Amino acid sequence: QVQLVESGGGSVQAGGSLRLSCAKSGDTYITYYMGWFRQAPGKEREALAVFTRNGYTPVYADSVKGRFTISRDNVKNTLYLQMNSLKPEDTAMYYCAADRVYYGLNTNYRYWGQGTQVTVSS
């Protein structure tokens, strides 16, 4: 069983930055593909950032490309999302997700965290 816990959300003004963390526990010795997602009220869940299947190259949704950076610390089993130049339209609940199957920028992941709220004011 895999548990994911996000942290780092908060309220910022437009143009500000936040760094989200996602700590993974369970099945430590099995490779899981992980990514970042968000869901705003009344909207579908959106995939934001993942790594390629080989785990080396980040892949971003167009909506966050150039502003968000995904990274990870394999020793700490933690995934990060550095968010810069935040906009009011980035306001959403942010989630990390994991699966043993590679889904890329797709929302079919099996395991999800509880989410962390990001609110960007103008």
Side-chain angles (χ1 to χ4, degrees):
Q1 189 71 12
V2 171
Q3 293 82 41
L4 304 171
V5 179
E6 302 96 336
S7 61
S11 297
V12 295
Q13 291 190 330
S17 298
L18 285 172
R19 188 193 194 204
L20 305 184
S21 300
C22 172
K24 173 184 168 289
S25 60
D27 284 348
T28 305
Y29 299 103
I30 297 176
T31 297
Y32 279 81
Y33 301 103
M34 297 178 66
W36 285 102
F37 306 79
R38 70 185 178 189
Q39 188 166 20
K43 294 188 177 181
E44 293 186 354
R45 189 164 293 186
E46 176 188 14
L48 301 178
V50 298
F51 287 97
T52 51
R53 189 187 300 269
N54 64 15
Y56 293 111
T57 306
V59 181
Y60 299 99
D62 288 343
S63 58
V64 303
K65 196 175 297 182
R67 299 188 299 122
F68 291 10
T69 302
I70 188 173
S71 63
R72 62 174 180 257
D73 185 327
N74 291 332
V75 174
K76 295 182 179 179
N77 286 311
T78 300
L79 189 72
Y80 301 99
L81 186 68
Q82 177 67 42
M83 306 187 296
N84 298 329
S85 303
L86 283 162
K87 306 174 183 180
E89 51 263 43
D90 293 319
T91 296
M93 186 70 78
Y94 283 69
Y95 301 89
C96 66
D99 202 300
R100 294 183 64 181
V101 175
Y102 182 74
Y103 288 108
L105 286 176
N106 193 296
T107 58
N108 289 347
Y109 291 71
R110 178 176 181 181
Y111 299 102
W112 293 82
Q114 83 289 348
T116 185
Q117 178 68 37
V118 172
T119 302
V120 184
S121 59
S122 57

